[in-house]
Amino acid sequence: MPPRALRGSADRLGEVLPALLFHDAVYDPTRADNEVYDDFERQIREEYAAVPESPFRAGRRAVLESFLTRSAIYRTPELRSRRESLARANLSRAIRGLT
């Protein structure tokens, strides 16, 4: 989604825009073979490598479940309509992997 399309949707576009631009620099969101979320989860585990497996899984599961309890993950209508269902599917899959 071009940044100008978000101009009327984001309350603080100056803070949102760098995140959007950097995010797109990491992967191509139009490709069907992205493993970006799985890679992200692996990176989270690496970041918390000092935490033993059982407490890590319980804590990570709690964080991910907290996202699913939100009425919306994305705050802008455009992103919500385009990405919400995939985000929820990724979160659910990651939670299943932690149980």
Side-chain angles (χ1 to χ4, degrees):
M1 172 178 297
R4 69 179 154 268
L6 295 173
R7 199 169 281 144
S9 299
D11 293 334
R12 297 180 342 212
L13 186 60
E15 295 173 21
V16 173
L17 187 57
L20 289 172
L21 294 175
F22 178 72
H23 176 75
D24 286 341
V26 174
Y27 79 104
D28 179 356
T30 63
R31 291 182 52 142
D33 63 346
N34 280 315
E35 292 185 11
V36 172
Y37 189 79
D38 293 335
D39 286 342
F40 172 73
E41 284 296 322
R42 281 190 287 277
Q43 291 170 0
I44 293 292
R45 184 61 184 121
E46 288 175 16
E47 186 176 340
Y48 289 89
V51 178
E53 192 67 20
S54 181
F56 171 80
R57 286 176 173 266
R60 186 70 182 149
R61 189 170 51 245
V63 167
L64 298 178
E65 287 172 344
S66 76
F67 288 125
L68 286 179
T69 64
R70 297 177 182 180
S71 60
I73 295 169
Y74 293 98
R75 295 186 67 175
T76 64
E78 292 87 5
L79 289 176
R80 197 166 32 253
S81 69
R82 292 174 185 250
R83 304 282 185 228
E84 187 83 16
S85 62
L86 179 58
R88 289 186 179 279
N90 282 336
L91 289 168
S92 296
R93 185 169 44 83
I95 290 167
R96 283 192 305 273
L98 292 167
T99 54

